[in-house]
Amino acid sequence: MSVAEKIENYKNFVNGKWTGSRNGATFENENPAFRGSNVGVFQSSTPEDVLDAITVADHAYRTWKRTSVAERQGYIAEFLRLLKENREELARIVTLENGKTIRESRAEVDSALVEGSYHLNQVVTFSGHVGPGAFRDISTYVQYQPLGVVGVISPWNFPMNVMSRKTLPALLTGNTVVFKPATFTPWSGVFMAQLFERAGLPAGVFNCVTGLGSKIGNAIVDDPRVRAITFTGSTEVGKKIQVRGSVNLTRMQLELGGKNAVIVMDDADITEAVGATVTAAFSNGGQWCTSTSRVLLHRDIARTFLDALCARCEKMTVGDGISETVDMGPVAGPQQFDDISKAIKQAQAEGAKMIAGSAPGDPKGYFIRPTVFTGVKTDMALFRDEIFGPVLAVCEFSSLDEALELANNSIYGLSSAIFTKNLANARKYVDGIEAGLAHVNIHTGYKEPAMPFGGVKQSGAGLPENSQTGLEFFVDQKAVYMRG
């Protein structure tokens, strides 16, 4: 029987054991390519289930924090080995519950392996530093210490890669974890918990509890034993988490929304710029936080660019992501489908012109074709709001100053890109763009583990993921003064 045919009742993973929710409630997990389908049954956990997980994680921390870096590396290395060994099975699971194409799911697993290997090696040199004392007989140094229990709340668009990016650095630095997968994609989270179990991680060090965020999310955020929250999701939810967590001064790492713009100058390689826009706008159904959602075109090349873009959109095959020939899968579920459909209708009502796409309405699954609007004004919802779907808003400009003003006209500041052959333009863009990620002749979704990943303005708060900060977030810095 294939993975797609199995319908199992998956449990929570707490204290090294698989257990049901206290009230016995469950929920079904739908494949967005097939409305009304069910790929698994998962625990609809209660706040009490979360408190159980926090209690065992808090207890396990007392031992785990005393393990050596080499011991922790051993467990994580085995986890990554198992992840690589199970690449194809996990990719199928991601596609079945998320909808993205199987190629994109394989790429997600590969990205997790690259980032995980980076952190595995980086932690060896991650330590405090020695500073010169003001007096001859006093030595000073900074010592890093783990925080304790960390709450990991991951999104459905990259259900295993983002989870790994948060969890592995937390564990490597000596913390324990309570993990809540997104409700759309619990299967990926449970599968990751199975890999940690097979890797031999001590009981209570990693715990996975599934359920609705509205029911159990607050239990994680509100508990004073949870020393840090690392969350990826909408800006709206992130703000609520930050407010609730402030009661206990809980450390926050919030990776939030974006309205990412690509600027295409008149000297750009149009073929390259169109290809990058298609990749960043329509991969994963436009459901990356770093997806391109606004295209800013120099007037002199706008028509050429749009003709090529629309031709690419028309050729794209939209369907069940498990097929190797599909270019774009469905969006992640009914709420996403409804929200994106409403945004498309609103854009039309406000006067934007749809030049690619069609009215959503495939009865089989939650499919929306690549959609492009021109004539977009800065006061339109299409220009301002994060749609999180395969919908592009196109504006035109006459100068780079005007393009930067358009790009920065947003509450968000996550990612951005420019396409130009002019080095002066590239430097001016890098200096002037209000975004955490600035790309020159590269699409807005590109990232590397050695570089910090996070946004400015309302796209993020706290230390960024990845890079040195990806480890720094999970430790306290203790200043030590020693005489003798």
Side-chain angles (χ1 to χ4, degrees):
M1 184 178 290
S2 70
V3 170
E5 295 170 336
K6 294 180 181 177
I7 301 177
E8 297 183 9
N9 189 327
Y10 295 94
K11 308 293 186 181
N12 292 331
F13 185 65
V14 177
N15 203 26
K17 300 176 182 178
W18 296 96
T19 60
S21 61
R22 285 200 181 196
N23 62 4
T26 59
F27 66 94
E28 295 181 355
N29 188 19
E30 185 180 32
N31 179 345
F34 299 95
R35 297 177 189 238
S37 60
N38 178 21
V39 295
V41 176
F42 297 84
Q43 304 306 302
S44 185
S45 302
T46 67
E48 290 73 26
D49 294 311
V50 171
L51 296 180
D52 289 343
I54 294 172
T55 296
V56 300
D58 186 49
H59 181 77
Y61 169 68
R62 300 168 199 173
T63 302
W64 182 247
K65 69 179 180 180
R66 293 195 294 268
T67 57
S68 67
V69 171
E71 284 182 83
R72 298 175 205 152
Q73 282 182 301
Y75 290 115
I76 301 307
E78 177 61 10
F79 168 83
L80 292 173
R81 187 193 70 77
L82 291 168
L83 186 62
K84 184 176 182 179
E85 183 180 277
N86 291 273
R87 172 182 183 260
E88 191 64 20
E89 183 177 1
L90 181 53
R92 284 177 59 80
I93 289 172
V94 171
T95 290
L96 289 170
E97 66 176 356
N98 168 280
K100 67 176 67 176
T101 69
I102 189 68
R103 295 186 305 280
E104 291 168 340
S105 295
R106 291 184 187 119
E108 180 177 348
V109 178
D110 293 342
S111 181
L113 287 167
V114 169
E115 291 178 0
S117 297
Y118 171 81
H119 292 303
L120 183 69
N121 295 320
Q122 182 194 25
V123 75
V124 177
T125 59
F126 181 73
S127 59
H129 56 272
V130 176
F135 299 95
R136 189 175 303 173
D137 61 342
I138 296 177
S139 59
T140 62
Y141 62 93
V142 174
Q143 179 174 303
Y144 292 160
Q145 295 190 168
L147 302 175
V149 181
V150 171
V152 173
I153 305 175
S154 68
W156 48 261
N157 59 337
F158 287 93
M160 56 76 51
N161 185 15
V162 173
M163 174 270 191
S164 296
R165 188 187 308 149
K166 297 173 182 294
T167 299
L168 299 188
L171 296 176
L172 284 166
T173 49
N175 303 279
T176 56
V177 168
V178 174
F179 167 53
K180 194 203 87 64
T183 311
F184 280 1
T185 53
W187 195 1
S188 304
V190 169
F191 190 86
M192 299 293 273
Q194 292 170 346
L195 295 185
F196 277 121
E197 180 187 33
R198 290 169 58 188
L201 204 66
V205 172
F206 175 85
N207 307 274
C208 174
V209 182
T210 62
L212 296 176
S214 58
K215 289 185 177 180
I216 64 175
N218 289 344
I220 299 175
V221 177
D222 292 345
D223 197 303
R225 295 171 296 177
V226 176
R227 292 288 312 283
I229 296 288
T230 174
F231 166 82
T232 295
S234 71
T235 295
E236 179 185 5
V237 175
K239 287 180 178 180
K240 293 177 181 177
I241 288 175
Q242 188 171 48
V243 169
R244 295 189 74 101
S246 67
V247 173
N248 295 315
L249 298 180
T250 305
R251 187 174 300 186
M252 291 288 166
Q253 183 182 63
L254 306 176
E255 201 278 284
L256 307 175
K259 192 66 179 175
N260 312 301
V262 57
I263 298 170
V264 185
M265 300 299 294
D266 55 344
D267 65 340
D269 182 320
I270 300 302
T271 300
E272 183 181 68
V274 169
T277 300
V278 169
T279 295
F282 305 130
S283 293
N284 197 12
Q287 298 167 123
W288 292 357
C289 55
T290 53
S291 289
T292 296
S293 58
R294 292 181 296 162
V295 181
L296 312 180
L297 302 175
H298 193 285
R299 297 186 193 282
D300 291 349
I301 53 88
R303 187 70 267 157
T304 301
F305 181 98
L306 290 172
D307 286 346
L309 176 63
C310 289
R312 288 285 299 273
C313 290
E314 291 303 314
K315 290 180 180 178
M316 290 183 70
T317 302
V318 180
D320 183 4
I322 210 70
S323 169
E324 298 282 358
T325 62
V326 164
D327 297 310
M328 191 176 84
V331 297
Q335 188 62 57
Q336 276 297 105
F337 180 86
D338 290 345
D339 289 347
I340 297 167
S341 299
K342 289 176 183 176
I344 290 173
K345 292 176 182 177
Q346 183 175 357
Q348 292 173 310
E350 291 182 350
K353 181 181 179 182
M354 182 191 291
I355 62 170
S358 59
D362 190 321
K364 185 174 90 169
Y366 303 108
F367 298 106
I368 296 178
R369 287 202 59 79
T371 304
V372 180
F373 282 98
T374 57
V376 178
K377 310 294 185 184
T378 57
D379 60 348
M380 291 181 179
L382 181 63
F383 182 89
R384 300 190 314 268
D385 298 342
E386 183 182 37
I387 296 174
F388 219 62
V391 182
L392 283 174
V394 179
C395 301
E396 298 183 13
F397 63 86
S398 299
S399 68
L400 180 53
D401 286 332
E402 184 183 354
L404 285 169
E405 184 177 350
L406 285 168
N408 292 334
N409 184 4
S410 175
I411 64 171
Y412 301 107
L414 181 53
S415 190
S416 61
I418 190 172
F419 282 82
T420 181
K421 297 175 183 175
N422 186 306
L423 182 58
N425 282 342
R427 287 177 170 167
K428 184 174 184 178
Y429 151 78
V430 169
D431 290 341
I433 196 69
E434 296 171 358
L437 284 71
H439 302 83
V440 177
N441 298 323
I442 306 169
H443 68 76
T444 59
Y446 185 80
K447 60 178 173 57
E448 293 191 5
M451 298 296 289
F453 183 81
V456 300
K457 299 196 280 191
Q458 294 190 32
S459 285
L463 289 176
E465 298 171 340
N466 277 345
S467 186
Q468 175 94 352
T469 58
L471 294 175
E472 286 179 353
F473 174 75
F474 296 106
V475 297
D476 279 325
Q477 298 190 32
K478 179 182 291 184
V480 179
Y481 300 85
M482 185 176 296
R483 172 181 281 144

